[in-house]
């Protein structure tokens, strides 16, 4: 008789949670009627992290997608008035992508949608459970285990 695979179970739970998070975020986005896909949302959030308008190649690299995918996303966002293509002041052959005022407004709404989705997902947890989950997620994201001596004493 073989014992259950705890890592396999954890992996499946993580995948199920990820799918649930995506579904809930998508629903919250649709409720706000922004006309923005989850992929476009990700591009807008990424764009907002740049101090100055990036090139499409920079966005593709940061998003870990092929440049053609960024072109398609930018085309849709530009048509919706959320971003615009601007010439690079130092090299007129280079095009940069910048947020429009409408894009900044959409980003604020996207943030609210993500926040309300997170609240929905975390609603069943108590505050102590949320703290533990936060610690565990930090460990998984950072890739380094949290040792008891690393924690701040209460």
């Amino acid at each position: 008789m073989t014992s259950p695979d705890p890592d396999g179970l954890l992996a499946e739970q993580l995948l199920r949670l990820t799918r649930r998070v995506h579904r809930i975020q998508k629903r919250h986005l649709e409720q706000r009627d922004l006309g923005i896909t989850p992929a476009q949302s990700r591009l807008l959030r990424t764009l907002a992290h740049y101090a100055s308008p990036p090139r499409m190649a920079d966005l593709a690299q940061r998003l870990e997608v092929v440049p053609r995918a960024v072109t398609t996303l930018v085309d849709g966002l530009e048509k919706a008035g959320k971003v615009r293509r601007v010439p690079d002041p130092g090299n007129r052959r280079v095009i940069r992508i910048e947020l429009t005022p409408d894009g900044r407004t959409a980003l604020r709404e996207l943030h609210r949608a993500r926040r309300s989705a997170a609240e929905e997902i975390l609603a069943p947890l108590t505050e102590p459970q949320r703290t533990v989950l936060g610690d565990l997620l930090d460990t998984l994201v950072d890739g380094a285990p949290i040792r008891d001596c690393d924690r701040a004493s209460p």
Side-chain angles (χ1 to χ4, degrees):
M1 179 171 175
T2 61
S3 61
D5 177 11
D7 292 336
L9 176 60
L10 284 174
E12 183 58 31
Q13 288 174 306
L14 284 171
L15 291 171
R16 287 178 35 222
L17 177 60
T18 300
R19 287 191 297 266
R20 182 168 184 251
V21 167
H22 285 289
R23 277 193 316 273
I24 291 171
Q25 284 185 343
K26 185 176 179 184
R27 181 170 40 83
H28 281 259
L29 274 176
E30 289 168 352
Q31 288 172 347
R32 286 178 168 22
D33 198 27
L34 295 173
I36 295 173
T37 67
Q40 289 172 331
S41 166
R42 185 170 173 236
L43 186 137
L44 285 175
R45 290 190 322 271
T46 301
L47 189 55
H49 289 289
Y50 283 91
S52 61
R55 299 171 306 137
M56 288 221 245
D58 299 328
L59 288 168
Q61 183 178 16
R62 187 124 198 231
L63 293 168
E64 299 178 347
V65 298
V66 296
R68 177 69 191 131
V70 171
T71 301
T72 301
L73 292 171
V74 168
D75 287 347
L77 288 168
E78 187 175 40
K79 186 176 179 182
K82 309 293 186 225
V83 301
R84 66 178 148 245
R85 289 172 165 91
V86 295
D88 183 296
N91 182 348
R92 61 188 177 145
R93 292 177 296 164
V94 174
I95 299 297
R96 297 193 173 267
I97 309 302
E98 73 178 6
L99 284 169
T100 63
D102 201 24
R104 291 186 194 291
T105 300
L107 263 175
R108 285 190 293 277
E109 280 301 309
L110 289 169
H111 179 73
R112 288 185 193 108
R114 288 171 58 96
R115 184 73 151 184
S116 63
E119 287 170 7
E120 180 179 333
I121 291 162
L122 297 173
L125 301 179
T126 64
E127 280 306 313
Q129 289 172 323
R130 288 178 186 214
T131 300
V132 169
L133 178 61
D135 288 345
L136 293 170
L137 291 173
D138 283 344
T139 300
L140 292 174
V141 169
D142 297 338
I146 296 176
R147 300 185 318 245
D148 286 337
C149 60
D150 291 339
R151 294 178 190 246
S153 359

